[in-house]
Amino acid sequence: MAVFGPNKRRKIPVPKRHGVRDPLKKLAEREAAIKDKINNPPRERDVQEVSNRFKKFVQLKEQTRNHASNKQRTPHQHQQPKQRREPKRSQLQVGDSVVRQLPKEPEEAFLARASKLQQDRVTEAKFSSKFNVDIERDESTGAVRLKKRKTHEIDELLKKKAEEAKGFKKKKKAKEENKKLPLAEKKALKKQKIEEKKRKEEDKLLEEYQMDNVAFGEVVDGPPTLNTKPRRAEKLEGAPRPGQKRLLLHSLLDPSKDEDDKQDSEPQKKKSKKKSQAQQQQKLDLKGKRKNLPVCTRMKLEREQQSVIELYRQMKKSKNQGA
């Protein structure tokens, strides 16, 4: 409860008034509010406008009058026979032409006809772009007429650039040259191309082996070292010493020494050949009936046999020559 007394006064809640902050702004707002109420003369001098309320009253009066007149009319007057509403036929626009559904035509047949027409239009567009032609169609008669397009310089330049990029000109020139060449030269060119192709493939393989791509962190081992020598290699006396081996480089540096080495090697080869021949002569046939005979008798028999064979051969030769 509130306490009233000489020292306690009742406090009434009232909005605080801080005074006019912007008097000009407040004045402008006030004038805008009463703008239509003052200094607003009528548009026409001798005509006084009717109030909106009176206008609404007049409209209602006219509506009631019209409604009463419609009721007084007989039902047979101005009555038109009802027409059957035809079902809405769907239609589609394909390019410039409009395809309408025929009466009693099912929806599937109509859509199939429209899709076929669209495909025809697409093929016509491709044909016109390929041969630089415009297709003019008469919708009423269905007649089709072709008309050549006007060429632009920019289009021609773009076409030339595209052909150069694809390399059509080079191919045409190559074909013309091939036509002029005779058959033998054509075959030679063909062989040359095949050889060049093989060389390129070999070069590619070599490049693969030459380049070693070693990624970070991978371990690469060196080539293997061969400790064993080939079977027919020259044996060196003692341990191998630097400068003793006869390499191909020595022949370029000192050709005279190389010739001396060849001369020394030739008699050694002859000696080895003679030894091998002597060994072959000493080897005898130890098979058959003569294996138990002594060596001297066996050699005699072989010589006699060889002489008889030679005589027989000579007789044959003489007979052939006489005939």
Side-chain angles (χ1 to χ4, degrees), residues 77-102:
Q77 284 179 350
H78 305 289
Q79 195 173 8
Q80 293 179 355
K82 287 184 179 180
Q83 293 180 354
R84 284 186 180 180
R85 281 189 177 181
E86 292 183 359
K88 285 186 178 179
R89 293 174 190 169
S90 54
Q91 58 182 19
L92 292 168
Q93 189 167 3
V94 180
D96 298 333
S97 57
V98 179
V99 185
R100 291 185 179 82
Q101 192 175 6
L102 299 170

Side-chain angles (χ1 to χ4, degrees), residues 150-166:
K150 291 180 180 179
T151 54
H152 297 286
E153 292 180 0
I154 297 162
D155 294 337
E156 287 178 359
L157 288 167
L158 289 168
K159 195 175 180 181
K160 281 180 183 178
K161 282 185 179 179
E163 285 177 356
E164 285 173 5
K166 288 179 182 177

Side-chain angles (χ1 to χ4, degrees), residues 2-48:
V3 180
F4 299 100
N7 296 327
K8 295 281 183 178
R9 291 183 182 180
R10 188 164 66 91
K11 194 173 183 181
I12 299 163
V14 179
K16 292 177 182 179
R17 296 180 183 179
H18 297 289
V20 179
R21 291 185 179 179
D22 194 353
L24 294 171
K25 191 177 180 182
K26 199 163 188 180
L27 186 67
E29 285 175 0
R30 196 180 292 163
E31 284 177 357
I34 59 170
K35 184 177 68 174
D36 298 330
K37 295 174 184 178
I38 58 169
N39 298 327
N40 191 13
R43 291 173 187 173
E44 294 180 10
R45 196 168 185 179
D46 298 331
V47 177
Q48 188 176 359

Side-chain angles (χ1 to χ4, degrees), residues 177-240:
E177 287 174 0
N178 289 335
K179 283 178 184 176
K180 289 174 185 177
L181 292 170
L183 188 66
E185 288 184 8
K186 281 181 184 178
K187 285 181 179 178
L189 282 168
K190 199 173 182 181
K191 280 184 182 178
Q192 195 174 354
K193 283 178 182 177
I194 292 160
E195 286 174 0
E196 283 177 0
K197 198 175 181 182
K198 284 181 181 177
R199 280 176 198 162
K200 284 178 182 177
E201 287 175 358
E202 287 173 1
D203 292 338
K204 280 182 182 177
L205 289 168
L206 285 169
E207 284 174 5
E208 285 177 7
Y209 286 114
Q210 282 170 3
M211 293 292 289
D212 290 336
N213 295 322
V214 182
F216 179 75
E218 286 187 2
V219 178
V220 182
D221 297 324
T225 53
L226 301 171
N227 296 323
T228 55
K229 289 182 180 180
R231 195 183 293 171
R232 294 176 184 176
E234 292 180 0
K235 291 180 181 179
L236 296 168
E237 294 177 358

Side-chain angles (χ1 to χ4, degrees), residues 35 63 71 97 136-137 189 222 239 241 313:
K35 184 177 68 174
Q63 283 175 6
K71 273 188 176 181
S97 57
E136 291 180 354
R137 186 184 297 280
L189 282 168
R241 300 183 185 282
R313 282 175 182 169

Side-chain angles (χ1 to χ4, degrees), residues 315-323:
M315 283 170 67
K316 279 277 185 186
K317 274 184 184 179
S318 62
K319 278 182 183 180
N320 290 329
Q321 285 173 3

